[in-house]
Amino acid sequence: MCGTVPGGLLALSCLVETWAAGCCLPRCRLQAHRLHTSFNLSAINTREPAPFWVAGSFSKQQGGQPEGGRCSNWRGRPSVAAAAAAAGAMVEKRRRAAAAGAARTFFLLILLGAGTYVLTHHSGGAKPAPATPRGRTLAEYHVESPFRTHGRLKKRGPLGSLAMVGSGLTRAELCFPPAWREARLAGDKQPPPAKWCAIMFNDKFKLIYVKCPKTAGTTLVTYFTDCSAPDATDRCFRLLDYTNATMVKHLLDSWDDYFAFSFSRNVLRRAISQYQYLSTFVRDEPGCPRISWDKYCVDPFILGDVCQAEATRVCCTQTAEHQYVHASPQVNCFTTQQGRSALDWLGRVEHFEDDFKALIKLLNRRKNGAPKLPTDVLPTRANYNASPCKNGSSSSGNSSSSSGGAAPEGGGPGADAARRRLRWGWDVRKDTENPCDKNDFFRGSHAHCYAAIMSFYGEDMELLARRRRR
């Protein structure tokens, strides 16, 4: 029969023979396979009697045996409906097997991804960091490169340190606690238990300023003024006391409604500024340790260790906490406990003047009933590190980027900077580098400092430089 029925009819008739007796010729089996893959069995009306091209090839006079006696194991003529049902069952079986295989593959991929994440993020309690993040070099990311994340942000919740204190933890448990400090002195260099940062606020103007160390914070406050200073104005900032439960609750309740902002700074340049600033609080006297830039760049918390250790504590004119806070990553001041944005807006020290003007303009456009801020007043540069370069700049060719471009005023800030002009650390005084080009802090004999700073402040680079997260 297989050779007598043409086209699609041939395929279905071959399927009947194959199912009923398993005796079809190879050609018939090929047609049956084609039927299984391409013929629409659902189109067959199973209520109709077997078509002539199936029934006509069998002889009732031969007891239901097919003509020619080609199939010796014939057990009766099958129906088209039975053949279709068998083919449909085979299709469904294969479909289910394919679906199960895909599910197994997907599950194995999830397990593999989870295992990789655990190994790379939680092995030994430390995150492996590349020497230069995503192939960055000093030529690609240098001391003048601003962060890409800036301007308006989507605020996701309160600052992490504030939320942790609000949940019942104490300041002493979170802000570089004694146990963590002693562990560091013993050689255990684990990160601090909390991302700590100072917070200032003004209820009248509905503002929250998260004051990140060494990001022109003192300069910014000269515009808003400090509420504890004699020259305070109505726009002055009040410093949060983390031990005051009422104040903590007030800020937690107000965080969504107030405008929270801060400023960021290039990681490399900020590290240099930290070293220049913090090293001035270690006395240059016999018996006191001299921490070189090469040592500091590997572990910026080292100057805090000097002021914490009993043997060298007398050499410090500031507390260990002060040294630790000023060397901390910037993300401490920008993120929630979950690592998301705690700010509405972020400026850049490298573009301080432009970003500050944009900030005031943005604040004055708010429709929340807050008073307008003055636009004819600019911040006064303060608490900056003057360089021994002839032009008095803090870096060659750019005298404004480290502190916002505002000129120092005669007596106070300028005089204070002059007293620190030559306090650039012991490496500079030994003439081992050119202080007029900050990139030299990461070249030549100090080349290892580039990878070291990038690693120590890897969270800053991940959040602010690699991709724009809102």
Side-chain angles (χ1 to χ4, degrees), residues 116-421:
T116 303
Y117 177 85
V118 170
L119 289 176
T120 57
H121 288 74
H122 298 282
S123 177
K127 297 181 181 180
T132 54
R134 296 195 180 183
R136 289 187 183 276
T137 64
L138 186 59
E140 297 169 323
Y141 183 84
H142 51 82
V143 297
E144 302 295 344
S145 302
F147 281 131
R148 287 184 290 179
T149 299
H150 63 91
R152 287 302 300 264
L153 304 174
K154 179 65 175 179
K155 185 168 59 183
R156 303 292 184 176
L159 195 68
S161 56
L162 180 68
M164 294 179 77
V165 172
S167 67
L169 296 173
T170 65
R171 185 187 192 283
E173 293 177 294
L174 299 176
C175 186
F176 309 102
W180 175 82
R181 302 184 194 190
E182 295 303 323
R184 272 194 59 86
L185 296 180
D188 185 5
K189 309 294 186 180
Q190 293 296 319
K195 297 181 182 299
W196 199 260
C197 194
I199 301 174
M200 307 183 81
F201 64 99
N202 181 293
D203 291 320
K204 181 177 181 179
F205 287 83
K206 299 182 179 180
L207 295 174
I208 295 175
Y209 171 49
V210 187
K211 190 174 184 293
C212 182
K214 305 310 297 177
T215 59
T218 306
T219 296
L220 185 75
V221 173
T222 63
Y223 171 85
F224 290 96
T225 68
D226 188 338
C227 291
S228 62
D231 61 344
T233 65
D234 63 342
R235 62 181 184 272
C236 68
F237 280 138
R238 183 181 179 188
L239 182 65
L240 168 67
D241 180 1
Y242 276 96
T243 64
N244 187 322
T246 302
M247 194 180 294
V248 169
K249 185 179 185 304
H250 168 63
L251 275 186
L252 284 172
D253 294 340
S254 305
W255 201 273
D256 288 341
D257 298 327
Y258 284 21
F259 188 93
F261 70 97
S262 189
F263 271 80
S264 68
R265 189 176 187 179
N266 175 289
V267 166
L268 302 176
R269 194 179 189 87
R270 180 173 179 259
I272 299 170
S273 179
Q274 290 167 344
Y275 175 66
Q276 295 169 206
Y277 174 69
L278 297 177
S279 64
T280 64
F281 299 110
V282 180
R283 291 187 175 94
D284 187 10
E285 297 176 358
C288 292
R290 292 187 171 186
I291 305 301
S292 68
W293 163 250
D294 288 327
K295 290 182 180 180
Y296 177 85
C297 72
V298 174
D299 181 11
F301 282 149
I302 192 171
L303 287 175
D305 295 341
V306 170
C307 299
Q308 176 64 27
E310 185 175 356
T312 56
R313 194 174 302 167
V314 296
C315 297
C316 294
T317 59
Q318 266 289 3
T319 65
E321 179 181 306
H322 173 274
Q323 305 292 75
Y324 288 135
V325 166
H326 281 76
S328 296
Q330 297 175 70
V331 294
N332 294 11
C333 303
F334 305 154
T335 56
T336 65
Q337 278 186 273
Q338 295 74 32
R340 308 190 74 182
S341 174
L343 304 176
D344 293 294
W345 186 90
L346 183 65
R348 302 159 295 175
V349 171
E350 293 76 22
H351 299 279
F352 184 88
E353 286 189 0
D354 292 338
D355 286 359
F356 177 79
K357 292 177 182 177
L359 170 64
I360 300 303
K361 185 177 181 180
L362 177 63
L363 293 176
N364 286 340
R365 289 204 306 261
R366 292 181 297 166
K367 304 297 183 181
N368 61 352
K372 303 296 183 183
L373 291 162
T375 57
D376 57 345
V377 180
L378 292 177
T380 301
R381 186 167 66 172
N383 199 26
Y384 67 97
N385 296 307
S387 81
C389 301
K390 290 182 179 180
N391 61 4
S393 69
S394 56
S395 179
S396 60
N398 190 345
S399 62
S400 62
S401 60
S402 67
S403 56
E409 294 185 354
D416 180 61
R419 285 192 294 270
R420 297 204 304 267
R421 182 175 295 275

Side-chain angles (χ1 to χ4, degrees), residues 24-101:
C24 221
L25 296 175
R27 179 186 172 193
C28 300
R29 295 180 181 177
L30 175 61
Q31 293 293 339
H33 175 70
R34 290 174 180 172
L35 170 67
H36 169 63
T37 57
S38 64
F39 194 75
N40 185 4
L41 294 175
S42 64
I44 299 176
N45 186 352
T46 57
R47 295 185 180 181
E48 296 295 329
F52 75 93
W53 46 269
V54 174
S57 60
F58 296 98
S59 173
K60 295 181 180 179
Q61 288 74 15
Q62 296 182 9
Q65 293 286 342
E67 294 180 357
R70 288 180 293 168
C71 299
S72 59
N73 60 345
W74 174 252
R75 295 184 298 276
R77 186 178 71 185
S79 67
V80 175
M90 182 179 300
V91 171
E92 179 64 18
K93 182 178 180 181
R94 292 184 179 180
R95 186 192 66 77
R96 292 181 178 179

